[in-house]
Amino acid sequence: MNEEGKSWIFATIFSFFTCFSAVFLMPFFYSNGGDLPLGSEFIGSVEFSERLFWFLACATLLAAVSAFLHVIVNIAFYSVYFIQRYWYLRKLRKPERVYTGDPL
């Protein structure tokens, strides 16, 4: 597996995570009356700090998920690499012949 394979696995897992997180957040969107948290009205100091907190919380969550997925992908990558290497070295090993002098 090369770097392209690792990036494909990471992108696939991350897209599934974002899709399912959007699906899980839809009930909150509907319970809020279908209003997005970002409106076009005047932003006061309390609203700005609140939105900044939620933005940083979401950014931190996405960064943590991204780091976790990178660790998982690298574990999978190296496990496949070592299993293939073990299998290849096992196939290279030739069986020992024991010469006893007795005809078979």
Side-chain angles (χ1 to χ4, degrees):
M1 187 180 304
N2 54 12
E3 293 295 323
E4 184 178 340
K6 283 171 53 174
S7 64
W8 181 83
I9 291 171
F10 173 75
T12 304
I13 293 173
F14 194 72
S15 63
F16 278 125
F17 172 77
T18 54
C19 175
F20 287 128
S21 65
V23 168
F24 291 137
L25 290 176
M26 285 305 288
F28 297 112
F29 176 71
Y30 290 133
S31 67
N32 197 21
D35 291 332
L36 292 175
L38 299 174
S40 61
E41 68 274 357
F42 176 75
I43 298 176
S45 62
V46 175
E47 291 89 1
F48 180 73
S49 63
E50 199 172 325
R51 289 182 180 149
L52 181 65
F53 168 76
W54 284 112
F55 173 74
L56 291 177
C58 292
T60 305
L61 179 68
L62 286 177
V65 167
S66 175
F68 179 70
L69 291 179
H70 274 294
V71 168
I72 295 297
V73 167
N74 282 325
I75 288 173
F77 171 75
Y78 284 111
S79 64
V80 167
Y81 170 75
F82 286 124
I83 289 171
Q84 286 178 343
R85 185 156 177 92
Y86 169 75
W87 190 258
Y88 176 71
L89 291 175
R90 188 169 167 254
K91 283 176 64 176
L92 284 180
R93 187 177 54 191
K94 295 179 180 168
E96 295 181 12
R97 292 188 176 192
V98 179
Y99 295 103
T100 60
D102 295 333
L104 298 174

